[in-house]
Amino acid sequence: MAEQIGTDPGTVVLFGGRSEIGLATAARLAAGRTVVLAARRPDDLADSVAVITAAGADRVVTVGFDADDVDSHPGLIDRLIAEHGPIGIAVVAFGILGDAARAETDVAHALQIAHTDYYAQVSVLTLLANAMRARHSGTLIVFSSVAGVRVRRANYVYGSTKAGLDGFASGLTDALAGTGVRLLLARPGFVIGAMTRDLMASGVKPAPLSSTPDEVADAVVRAYHRGRATVWIPAALGAAAFALQFVPRAIWRRIPR
Ligand SMILES: NC(=O)c1ccc[n+]([C@@H]2O[C@H](COP(=O)([O-])OP(=O)(O)OC[C@H]3O[C@@H](n4cnc5c(N)ncnc54)[C@H](OP(=O)(O)O)[C@@H]3O)[C@@H](O)[C@H]2O)c1
């Protein structure tokens, strides 16, 4: 399947059409393609449309997508394919950070994070994998996080969803081997951007080896064109994450966000 690397024909669909990382990634893949931005409030996507248009997309389409409404996912994905053709690259970038302290005691909030960041991802990825398998082509781009590699006390609810997603996506990668469909699992560290803005405003300092949405997108698209299955952002985070497995628990539980 080497001839398919980086050349999946078909549309680019961004699930989470306002995601800062997702948009930067989709922009780098947009030239000459139809790009679908799937998001809540699809009538309020002018900024995202402008970014993708400026990146050289042939056509930009917006569509309503609520990740939490999993019952709507099968119909949505069928409709996207019927109306815009096969999905070549799916950038699955929706997610919420949530309030880590609140999620420790507020079960509704903890379940909200689990629902959006794990349950809904499983739904979207399974449906997309089915559609791509049927035509032996396509790439799924999935955003895990270093937060899920060894879950920290300071954000264990969000971290646990990323641990689950990382495991799910790793297994799906293996299940897709030989089908012509690829999955690229991105593992960024702390990203200085929209998702972490409130956290930083509350005084949290960016963690070591942090990056920006543009740096994440550059690394992801480079990995996509190289046919990689995983990418750490920055690359040094892979070795650091390995070493973190060996930090004694009594120290680990004091690691800040
Ligand atoms: N930022 C980081 O530090 C970091 C680090 C590692 C991994 N990641 C992961 O990378 C991915 C992209 O993050 P980002 O930094 O681009 O975050 P972002 O800019 O905050 O974007 C997240 C997007 O998810 C969308 N979303 C949330 N709940 C949704 C729902 N129920 N239905 C549809 N859309 C929903 C939001 O849509 P609305 O605009 O409608 O609110 C938002 O546009 C996420 O999976 C995140 O966990 C981020």
Side-chain angles (χ1 to χ4, degrees):
M1 291 294 163
E3 72 279 4
Q4 290 196 345
I5 289 174
T7 59
D8 299 289
T11 58
V12 173
V13 183
L14 171 59
F15 292 89
R18 250 175 245 105
S19 149
E20 208 176 3
I21 293 174
L23 202 57
T25 304
R28 286 157 172 77
L29 299 166
R33 291 183 188 257
T34 294
V35 177
V36 181
L37 301 174
R40 299 183 285 198
R41 308 181 307 284
D43 296 336
D44 181 23
L45 282 167
D47 291 349
S48 298
V49 170
V51 168
I52 299 298
T53 304
D58 266 0
R59 204 159 68 97
V60 189
V61 177
T62 61
V63 64
F65 164 65
D66 182 350
D68 294 336
D69 181 10
V70 292
D71 289 344
S72 70
H73 294 174
L76 172 68
I77 289 169
D78 285 350
R79 208 165 60 246
L80 288 180
I81 294 169
E83 291 177 6
H84 308 296
I87 299 172
I89 308 172
V91 182
V92 183
F94 62 85
I96 56 172
L97 191 56
D99 178 330
R102 185 180 149 206
E104 290 188 17
T105 51
D106 178 341
V107 67
H109 190 51
L111 287 175
Q112 172 68 72
I113 297 169
H115 196 279
T116 304
D117 291 347
Y118 181 69
Y119 190 77
Q121 291 266 348
V122 169
S123 169
V124 169
L125 290 170
T126 301
L127 291 164
L128 288 168
N130 289 346
M132 289 180 175
R133 259 197 209 101
R135 61 181 193 93
H136 311 288
S137 155
T139 295
L140 299 163
I141 299 181
V142 180
F143 290 94
S144 175
S145 168
V146 72
V149 172
R150 184 174 178 189
V151 175
R152 271 166 298 159
R153 186 254 171 274
N155 68 348
Y156 68 83
V157 176
Y158 172 81
S160 73
T161 70
K162 288 301 186 189
L165 176 61
D166 198 288
F168 177 85
S170 300
L172 179 57
T173 301
D174 291 334
L176 291 172
T179 65
V181 182
R182 294 195 299 132
L183 189 153
L184 171 57
L185 183 56
R187 295 189 182 118
F190 190 103
V191 180
I192 301 166
M195 186 174 262
T196 53
R197 196 161 291 141
D198 288 349
L199 208 57
M200 289 186 289
S202 74
V204 171
K205 299 262 179 293
L209 297 176
S210 57
S211 57
T212 65
D214 281 330
E215 288 167 348
V216 174
D218 282 341
V220 166
V221 172
R222 207 178 308 123
Y224 168 73
H225 287 299
R226 289 178 180 168
R228 296 269 161 79
T230 55
V231 57
W232 291 89
I233 306 110
L237 199 59
F242 179 76
L244 290 177
Q245 307 290 335
F246 302 103
V247 175
R249 192 157 200 169
I251 297 171
W252 185 250
R253 72 167 64 100
R254 293 190 183 85
I255 302 274
R257 296 199 56 140

